């Protein structure tokens, strides 16, 4: 039984809290949030203790693991404190928005040797993983092209957008930058990106890019396309297509039901799941389980600090390309 | 080059006329219709001669084949005349509505030895045929259950319905009665049928059955279900499902395009093709081609008078069951 | 927080035990099984107490609800005891195999007034329910035909089959008999059934029917077809199709992933989920939740003893028809 | 009745010849090919006259239209001769491989005023066209992203490849460059392209690019992605996806049948149609019909010389980008 402290009671926090609470080998002991009232509400649901001071939980010798769900710019300090307290760490993506900070985290992790995992949950989606495994099993031969569609139904609130310019790279496509590395078992050597502001000023007052297309070349030669939007009105559109010498694999979207409605105007199926937390519910569960099994067996958690660093490097180079209008080289 | 005479310029006649005209090895020489004006209109389109007197065409020694597209009750007399004139015959289904008449046709065909084909066009649909071939190839092992859905978008006009009571058996499901024999390579030994009048009296003033479910047992043991309706508002719904010891096969519907429209209300695809002539355009073409190849090579056309007789026997027994409410035995 | 006693640690028991354990408002206090070792193993996983004597749990005043997962012939006695002990009851289907026993249960339930629910879990499947709701919302107008395919990948072990002759009616299609009542909000007035033994004697040594087709007429006029098999080698095949005056609804199958694999031999998707517990995992969860909410709010649980009785009546009439070869009337 | 002369009896020639022969308002009078034997074989099938000298046909006053199916580098001279002879021209794509030549064609067309059409047949595919019409009807609001997948199952023979370096741009993606202009009703202002040689030297001895990804920005702001390969082993993969402010449209692939095969290893559907002539059979028919209707009604044919010129300009800029590794600007 691993006792957890969860830091950050908003947004994705309750998802992880519920998964910890439901896991047979885990227990949620603490919920920490600067907003004590939020911490208390979530803690009450899961039978945990609440505090606004992370120190309280880190001082609890029963706590073995910390889940970090706070805004990205706060991650590094929490990683530092948790690592020095000897806790295993599950950190939501991105690790940070600055490479220097990620490097600092890498150093403290190396010094302390605590288990560390970055929450690139999509790797744990059953269909994406089946696609990954089919590539590894050689089903499509050498992968030659990879196409990722990664579209959110809605843009984040203006203050969230303001706090993270080019968030479509740092917060959204960073998932795809991780996926392409994982799926192809390869690193990009070049990135070219173009962005646009397609939303109305009312929806996107800061005119931060809300639409993007990216092209990458990988060290082993594959070509990759990523597209992203913050306005897929038809739902959370998440598809992957891998093309290779021997075939093609497609990981499709999810719908609430499989009902088909035949009427005189055609055949209608459900809209896609709208909310990423519904779409990836199963992957969040499986990711936590993988983390718990790693901690229990003293194995390395599946996605390490270097994975977090590499995804951020790609995002950074993508932003550089989008700003300059020319391709940017990356070191494989 | 085979020269054809087409009898019956209405409804399905123009489909066969166009297919003859477009076929490299066929030529339409005559169009016969009691309504001379109809005959002339169709003949003009295809460069054929028109007449209201079948004798004109049968006397033409260049005519090698006759296509019969007139109402069912007129088929027997035309078959008789055409056979005695030594012409090959392509007769639309059903051969007739009375077994005695079909038997009379069988006798004249036996005497004259002319090639004869019944127009159960569905056997020539590429997907239905692929299903048939997969069964023959043993892909699903022994067939155990067969399910046929055979639904028209609209009921025929009242006078057509009045002229053929229980037309849902004699005119519509007779296709399915042929298909089940062909797909299973077997004969039914029992039929049970239930019908209903679901349409409003305005649409179905004669209160002839417009909805039916049928169950059959085959000599080799398979169980068969057929359902039919004259009001599939979503289009011409034609599906076949074959279940066996080693798997299951499904022949699905056809749509005009494969466009998928994703909106906030869901994913929409085209309605099914509405008109049987569109749905089965390819099967009519392939059927005519098979007939022409048989006549040219002096082989037996694919669907003979006995097939027409057997399908009618099943329809007749089905009507008897629907009227009596009890299962009716059939001789395999 | 409702404390549960679960009776019957085999087969479906662990599913309900896990769902109780994971439910925020429920706790599993007791696991009862004549095989004490089975009870202990399951109890240990959920932090419950184990016993081979139901009396132990019924005497526990903290226990508010009993879940009955034992073989059908034992249900009536357990219902009687639990009802007299004042416990709410969640009883797996079928309530019993004899109408007289179900009637006895109905009497004790009426006397004691305890909440009672029959586990027809399929009503809680999200897609089946969406189909149900679409019918209720009038989306297809008056329902005219209903087609249920209900196929298991494997037959039960010989001793299980021997203990319940015609189990394909009493144990499998009883789900469909419940579904057709619920979906159509109507009762059947006639049933006709045909069965076959398609499996080899090695798989089905008792030659109990392993394949069945059933046709029913409903009081309001709809026609219903049910087909069932104990050898769907391609997985657990569970489909519903509702046809009406204004359209058609289809509830389809479930697969582990949505991966599409394109190769030179075609496009391949996952096999269907094989095990009913995987296929209906979500419906079992939702069913338990509905029961808990009913007990908590002192509302009637969703599926009552009369539903259990009606489904059994249909099964019984179906067996009578299958044995006699003629349709059997039912009182609506 | 329009009488045609077809120039070029190889490859795509027989497709157009058969469509002319089958069209009610057209007649194939001449087949011209430098290889007289090829011309004769095709002419014999369609009842046309054969010659190796285009002059023979151009001198025939009955010939109203010429279809040009010869290799691209011969188009300009034939266009010049046909235009000066006053014939309507249907020219296969690309018009030429050099802009200067296309400009020369444009001049002679302007001088002579003969009807001219470039064979970008994909515009006539029913599903692609339905997608186009849905965009025009405002179904997805402003188009924001367009994704075209355009993959051939096989590379052309080495001598064909040698004769047209960067043929993946000039011969294959030129279709997509036309489609994106037509679908978006807009012109690109920038193109970025990356190519690769993924095939073995045995298949691609000239190491001409066999795989490509392209990104374009349109004048009105939309972002476009095109990918192409000469080795889609699973068939001729032709998909279009249009994403906009109000929804998303997908035009999918075509298969020979819709049969679904359910086995223990999953659900299998047909491979995609393999040959572009099968995939686009209907679009070739509709394209010819549109050309005939235009000529008959003295309207402008649907796709003019400027369309051919623009598509070539995009291809040329794409090659320039692929060679230089940087984006290339285009004049809208």
């Amino acid at each position: 039984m691993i006792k957890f402290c969860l830091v950050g009671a908003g947004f994705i926090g309750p998802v992880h809290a519920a998964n910890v609470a439901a896991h047979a080998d885990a227990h949620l002991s603490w919920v920490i949030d600067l907003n004590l009232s939020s911490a208390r509400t979530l803690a009450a649901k899961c039978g945990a203790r609440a505090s606004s001071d992370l120190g309280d939980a880190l001082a609890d010798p029963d706590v073995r693991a910390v889940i970090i769900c706070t805004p990205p710019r706060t991650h590094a300090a929490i990683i530092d404190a948790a690592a020095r307290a000897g806790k295993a760490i599950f950190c939501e993506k991105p690790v940070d928005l600055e490479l220097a900070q990620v490097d600092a985290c890498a150093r403290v992790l190396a010094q302390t040797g605590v288990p560390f995992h970055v929450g690139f949950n999509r790797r744990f989606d059953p269909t994406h993983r089946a696609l990954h495994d089919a590539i590894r099993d050689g089903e499509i031969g050498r992968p030659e092209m990879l196409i990722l569609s990664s579209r959110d139904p809605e843009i984040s609130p203006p203050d969230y957008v303001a706090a993270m310019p080019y968030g479509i790279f740092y917060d959204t496509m960073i998932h795809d930058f991780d996926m392409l590395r994982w799926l192809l078992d390869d690193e990009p050597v070049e990135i070219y990106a173009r962005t646009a502001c397609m939303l109305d000023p009312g929806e996107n007052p800061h005119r931060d890019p809300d639409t993007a297309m990216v092209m990458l070349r990988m060290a082993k030669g594959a070509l990759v396309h990523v597209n992203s939007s913050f306005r897929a009105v038809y739902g959370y559109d998440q598809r992957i297509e891998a093309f290779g010498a021997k075939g093609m694999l497609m990981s499709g979207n999810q719908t609430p039901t499989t009902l088909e409605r035949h009427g005189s105007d055609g055949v209608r199926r459900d809209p896609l799941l709208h909310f990423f937390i519904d779409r990836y519910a199963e992957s969040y569960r499986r990711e936590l389980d993988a983390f718990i099994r790693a901690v229990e067996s003293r194995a390395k958690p599946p996605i390490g600090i270097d994975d977090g660093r590499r995804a951020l490097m790609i995002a950074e180079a993508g932003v550089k390309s989008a700003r300059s209008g020319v391709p940017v080289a990356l070191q494989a």
Side-chain angles (χ1 to χ4, degrees), chain A residues 192 278 302:
Chain A
Y192 174 71
D278 295 329

Side-chain angles (χ1 to χ4, degrees), chain A residues 13 19 53-54 87 90 121 149 163 173 196 225 236 263 285 296 325:
Chain A
N19 288 341
D53 181 354
L54 175 60
K87 312 299 187 189
F90 181 124
N121 65 293
S149 294
M173 286 192 294
H225 161 81
Y236 191 52
R285 271 195 290 272
E296 276 181 337

Side-chain angles (χ1 to χ4, degrees), chain A residues 174-238:
Chain A
I174 200 164
H175 277 294
D176 304 290
F177 301 147
D178 178 65
M179 290 299 273
L180 63 91
R181 294 182 59 247
W182 178 64
L183 291 171
L184 298 175
D185 192 21
D186 197 5
E187 302 294 337
V189 292
E190 189 191 74
I191 185 166
Y192 174 71
R194 278 293 183 187
T195 62
C197 288
M198 296 289 189
L199 275 65
D200 298 330
E203 293 170 284
N204 181 6
H206 298 289
R207 310 317 286 155
D208 197 53
D210 51 45
T211 306
M213 272 199 186
V214 175
M215 214 166 106
L216 304 102
R217 264 190 318 127
M218 305 298 288
K220 295 178 193 162
L223 299 174
V224 179
H225 161 81
V226 185
N227 69 71
S228 191
S229 165
F230 286 158
R231 180 175 53 184
V233 298
Y234 54 92
Y236 191 52
D237 186 4
Q238 298 277 307

Side-chain angles (χ1 to χ4, degrees), chain A residues 42-166:
Chain A
L42 182 56
K45 276 190 195 154
C46 306
R49 298 165 69 183
S51 171
S52 60
D53 181 354
L54 175 60
D56 292 346
L58 296 184
D60 179 346
D62 288 348
V63 167
R64 266 179 74 191
V66 172
I67 300 182
I68 305 175
C69 308
T70 53
R73 292 186 195 285
T74 66
H75 288 180
I78 300 172
I79 290 169
D80 189 81
R84 292 183 195 285
K87 312 299 187 189
I89 299 168
F90 181 124
C91 179
E92 262 304 325
K93 43 59 58 181
V95 177
D96 196 281
L97 302 173
E98 306 289 338
L99 277 178
Q101 293 280 40
V102 176
D103 289 339
C105 292
R107 280 191 299 273
V108 74
L109 291 170
Q111 290 159 17
T112 57
V114 299
F116 180 84
H117 173 85
V118 190
F120 285 123
N121 65 293
R122 291 186 195 175
R123 292 199 193 185
F124 299 88
D125 175 70
T127 304
H128 293 342
R129 183 164 285 259
L131 185 147
H132 169 272
D133 294 351
I135 294 178
R136 281 301 175 283
D137 294 348
E139 214 173 287
I140 59 165
R142 176 189 177 187
E144 299 175 352
M145 297 196 286
L146 183 71
I147 295 169
L148 301 117
S149 294
S150 183
R151 304 174 192 159
D152 283 12
E154 282 159 16
I155 194 169
S156 299
D159 55 343
Y160 188 96
V161 171
M164 198 196 299
Y166 280 83

Side-chain angles (χ1 to χ4, degrees), chain A residues 99 308-318 330-331:
Chain A
L99 277 178
R309 189 181 192 284
R310 293 240 171 216
L312 180 59
M313 275 174 59
I314 303 172
E316 220 170 52
L330 276 156
Q331 281 192 311

Side-chain angles (χ1 to χ4, degrees), chain A residues 262-284:
Chain A
H262 290 243
S264 51
D265 61 340
V267 183
R268 205 152 46 80
R269 299 185 66 129
D270 281 359
L272 308 186
L273 287 171
H274 194 81
F275 195 31
F276 76 94
I277 285 176
D278 295 329
R279 165 63 181 87
Y280 284 118
E282 184 64 20
S283 70
Y284 283 115

